[in-house]
């Protein structure tokens, strides 16, 4: 009688444990990205080719341009484009672009 009770309890315990495991397997991980429609989508990375002239430093015969927070000199390339001229407030690139400094609000012309 006792072995039948133990085996019945053991079977009930195993069934309930397996049932809980099956329920846990159907739960969705909240940190996992959403379900897709089955299509494979690829994320395209866009290359940002925008250049921002942060500052220009002229020291004697040397000139330095800070573009996208990196220091460049005349003849160096920024994002594959050669710097052909560094002026007082602008930088000219080999592809025809001209980067200019942002005019400060405190700069007044004609005063």
């Amino acid at each position: 009688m006792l072995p039948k009770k133990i085996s019945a309890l053991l079977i009930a315990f195993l069934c309930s444990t397996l049932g809980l495991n099956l329920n846990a397997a159907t739960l969705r991980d909240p940190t996992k990205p959403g379900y897709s429609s089955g299509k494979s989508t690829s994320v395209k990375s866009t290359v940002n080719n925008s250049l921002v002239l942060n500052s220009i430093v002229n020291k004697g015969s040397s000139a330095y341009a800070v573009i996208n927070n990196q220091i460049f000199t005349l003849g160096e390339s920024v994002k594959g484009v050669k710097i052909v001229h560094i002026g007082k407030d602008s930088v000219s690139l080999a592809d025809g672009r001209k980067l200019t400094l942002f005019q400060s609000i405190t700069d007044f012309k004609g005063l």
Side-chain angles (χ1 to χ4, degrees):
M1 184 77 164
L2 190 59
K4 284 185 180 182
K5 251 187 182 178
I6 291 175
S7 61
L9 286 174
L10 183 61
I11 290 172
F13 175 74
L14 289 176
C15 288
S16 65
T17 305
L18 289 174
L20 290 176
N21 285 341
L22 291 176
N23 278 340
T26 60
L27 294 177
R28 185 179 176 280
D29 181 4
T31 61
K32 192 175 182 179
Y35 293 114
S36 66
S37 63
K39 296 179 188 174
S40 175
T41 58
S42 62
V43 177
K44 294 181 182 178
S45 63
T46 57
V47 178
N48 187 359
N49 285 331
S50 65
L51 298 174
V52 176
L53 180 60
N54 302 108
S55 66
I56 294 176
V57 177
N58 287 313
K59 187 172 183 178
S61 63
S62 301
Y64 302 94
V66 180
I67 302 171
N68 292 354
N69 298 321
Q70 294 181 336
I71 301 172
F72 296 95
T73 60
L74 187 64
E76 289 186 327
S77 292
V78 54
K79 291 197 177 186
V81 182
K82 188 175 179 181
I83 298 173
V84 294
H85 177 72
I86 299 176
K88 179 182 163 191
D89 60 354
S90 65
V91 172
S92 297
L93 302 174
D95 65 356
R97 285 187 282 177
K98 186 174 183 180
L99 308 175
T100 57
L101 286 173
F102 177 74
Q103 184 179 1
S104 177
I105 296 173
T106 58
D107 291 345
F108 294 108
K109 291 190 175 185
L111 293 180

